[in-house]
Amino acid sequence: MQNESKSRLKRRHLGHLAARLDELPLHRLGDPRKRKGKWQLATLVRAALVGLASGRKGLADTEHLTDWLGAGARKVLRLPARVPDTTLRDVIVGLDPGEVRALLHGAMRRADRRKQFAQDFPLKVGSFDGKCSTTWLFDPPGAAQKYGQRQDDLAVVRTITACLVSTPARPCLDAFPIPPETNEMGAFQAAWLAFEQAYGKGFLDVAMYDSGAASLANATFLRDRGVHYLLCLTANQPTLLDEARRKLGGLGVQQALAETTDLDCTDIVTRRLYKTGDLAAFLDWGHLATVLRVQCVREDRWSGEVRTEDRYYLASLEPGALADSDWLTLIRRRWAVENECHNTFDKVLREDDRPWIRLPQGMLVMHLLRRLAYSLLALYRGVTLRSERKRTQPWTGLLADI
């Protein structure tokens, strides 16, 4: 009976993946091939997505998977035969990253219409963060669009990830390619405008970012667009940081407004929240309303060693806009873009170790396809499956089942 139940669940995984792939307008992608041969472009892109969704680590691994599939799975996934890895590579390196990003945007808009973005937080919040991958190959000298930033003997492909953190699934909504001539700070406003174009103005209530894009210019830009911000405060804003430390740094345990305690491997982790509105409109930050401090105390259960770290944050939300416990939750969820998205890309899908393709444009296309596969499965895992099984299935188990 248990084996039969597992078999039914695996068939459901496969059926869900096929249904989501069928919704993708793969036929609209521009075909980069001069001679198309026997393979339709949509079939090749579908094969890549199936490989990613089943945890394959490369093109050859995906070719093996398409060769191994049984007749039933072939019919459901619409993969009629073995897909050669060389054919797959030749297509991926020529795809337009902008068109592939549009696939991700469309899939997430459909998920929103299906009510899969149900909120578990009072505000609709997105967390943004930069991610980079290195390669020893470079863009062709005559390329109209370049995606890799040269750093000594390597090329770095950078993106800004957008993660919806106010819903349990934590889907990736976007991955904006950072032009080689700039960085996270300089690309943030363009990334935000592209995000608005994809999802509409007012889609988010709050945008969060670490110090990589925490500047007065970017904060003012967000407020002018009608969005609140929560930004990490570090040494790149020295005067503000000194004032925050003076105001909040001396407060002790008794003055904490909220506190949580969790287990993290062998550590007992206690987080305490402190906040003030006394620095509102400080210096030129006329939209600044709240400064926050989170103290993180880690105690090793076995050795008794204690480590303490303080982090500070700037927010345009008024101090009373959220309950103290919600403020602490909001700050902790800022890290979801790293802990959920980037951690899954790197540790489960092995993006940095096994990027599939090393040419910058092909690497970026694979990054985007990987985020599309992740988001489709994250919504299934965090919404559909969780509502039935009452717990979240580990990523490794879900990929292995598929």
Side-chain angles (χ1 to χ4, degrees):
M1 181 65 71
Q2 186 177 4
N3 290 337
E4 183 179 348
S5 176
K6 285 185 177 181
S7 180
R8 283 198 302 269
L9 182 61
K10 291 179 182 180
R11 286 197 297 271
R12 177 158 189 182
H13 293 341
L14 187 65
H16 173 85
L17 175 62
R20 296 289 81 85
L21 294 180
D22 286 344
E23 293 176 347
L24 299 175
L26 300 178
H27 62 282
R28 297 180 186 172
L29 293 172
D31 197 329
R33 297 172 294 175
K34 294 181 180 179
R35 297 180 59 186
K36 297 184 180 181
K38 71 173 185 178
W39 289 101
Q40 293 185 357
L41 177 64
T43 303
L44 295 173
V45 177
R46 178 184 287 263
L49 288 167
V50 170
L52 290 166
S54 57
R56 303 303 93 188
K57 300 303 188 291
L59 295 168
D61 206 7
T62 299
E63 177 184 350
H64 176 73
L65 173 67
T66 59
D67 188 35
W68 170 83
L69 286 174
R74 288 190 188 283
K75 183 177 180 180
V76 171
L77 294 171
R78 293 199 283 153
L79 294 174
R82 177 181 62 86
V83 177
D85 58 350
T86 52
T87 303
L88 195 54
R89 180 193 180 279
D90 291 344
V91 164
I92 291 173
V93 295
L95 287 176
D96 181 354
E99 294 182 356
V100 180
R101 275 182 69 221
L103 293 177
L104 173 60
H105 298 157
M108 294 302 97
R109 288 194 297 265
R110 286 189 292 273
D112 193 17
R113 291 194 293 270
R114 282 194 294 265
K115 311 299 182 185
Q116 288 188 293
F117 289 173
Q119 299 288 111
D120 63 351
F121 191 77
L123 300 173
K124 199 169 187 179
V125 185
S127 186
F128 295 74
D129 193 28
K131 190 178 189 302
C132 66
S133 298
T134 58
T135 174
W136 54 82
L137 300 180
F138 299 91
D139 295 290
Q145 177 68 49
K146 296 188 177 182
Y147 299 98
Q149 184 181 78
R150 182 180 287 271
Q151 291 187 0
D152 298 325
D153 296 330
L154 296 174
V156 181
V157 177
R158 302 179 187 275
T159 55
I160 293 178
T161 305
C163 176
L164 185 62
V165 300
S166 52
T167 186
R170 312 286 196 265
C172 174
L173 299 180
D174 197 11
F176 180 82
I178 299 177
E181 63 273 11
T182 187
N183 54 21
E184 290 179 62
M185 189 78 76
F188 174 75
Q189 295 183 23
W192 181 265
L193 291 175
F195 182 85
E196 275 191 357
Q197 184 177 8
Y199 295 101
K201 193 172 181 179
F203 182 80
L204 295 178
D205 299 313
V206 181
M208 301 191 289
Y209 214 113
D210 63 12
S211 58
S215 69
L216 175 59
N218 287 337
T220 302
F221 173 81
L222 285 173
R223 291 304 297 130
D224 289 344
R225 307 298 297 179
V227 182
H228 285 286
Y229 61 80
L230 187 140
L231 303 173
C232 294
L233 175 58
T234 58
N236 65 345
Q237 303 289 337
T239 305
L240 258 176
L241 181 58
D242 288 345
E243 284 299 306
R245 285 172 172 164
R246 184 183 64 80
K247 191 69 181 178
L248 297 173
L251 300 181
V253 175
Q254 300 302 322
Q255 288 80 38
L257 302 174
E259 182 178 305
T260 62
T261 301
D262 305 284
L263 290 177
D264 182 9
C265 298
T266 62
D267 288 345
I268 301 173
V269 184
T270 301
R271 295 178 177 88
R272 300 186 181 99
L273 174 79
Y274 306 86
K275 69 177 180 180
T276 181
D278 293 348
L279 297 179
F282 185 75
L283 293 178
D284 296 327
W285 290 68
H287 34 63
L288 177 62
T290 307
V291 176
L292 306 109
R293 167 194 168 208
V294 172
Q295 183 185 65
C296 179
V297 181
R298 290 181 172 271
E299 180 182 356
D300 189 292
R301 287 188 291 168
W302 308 118
S303 68
E305 179 187 1
V306 176
R307 305 184 304 279
T308 302
E309 181 181 20
D310 286 320
R311 286 178 173 156
Y312 293 85
Y313 302 86
L314 306 173
S316 59
L317 290 164
E318 294 293 334
L322 293 170
D324 293 332
S325 59
D326 287 335
W327 273 111
L328 190 53
T329 298
L330 178 65
I331 291 171
R332 291 192 63 182
R333 290 197 183 184
R334 200 223 72 74
W335 302 100
V337 65
E338 297 183 16
N339 296 334
E340 300 288 340
C341 290
H342 294 171
N343 183 64
T344 304
F345 302 155
D346 291 338
K347 292 190 176 179
V348 179
L349 300 176
R350 302 282 298 281
E351 178 170 89
D352 284 348
D353 297 335
R354 302 289 295 275
W356 290 35
I357 292 176
R358 293 285 180 180
L359 278 171
Q361 181 171 337
M363 177 182 280
L364 177 59
V365 168
M366 282 308 309
H367 282 8
L368 294 166
L369 290 175
R370 193 173 286 108
R371 281 140 185 76
L372 174 56
Y374 160 84
S375 294
L376 293 176
L377 292 181
L379 290 167
Y380 175 60
R381 169 179 174 264
V383 179
T384 307
L385 273 185
R386 186 176 175 86
S387 65
E388 296 178 1
R389 305 180 75 205
K390 308 304 180 187
R391 63 183 178 86
T392 302
Q393 184 178 16
W395 274 104
T396 52
L398 177 59
L399 298 181
D401 282 354
I402 292 176

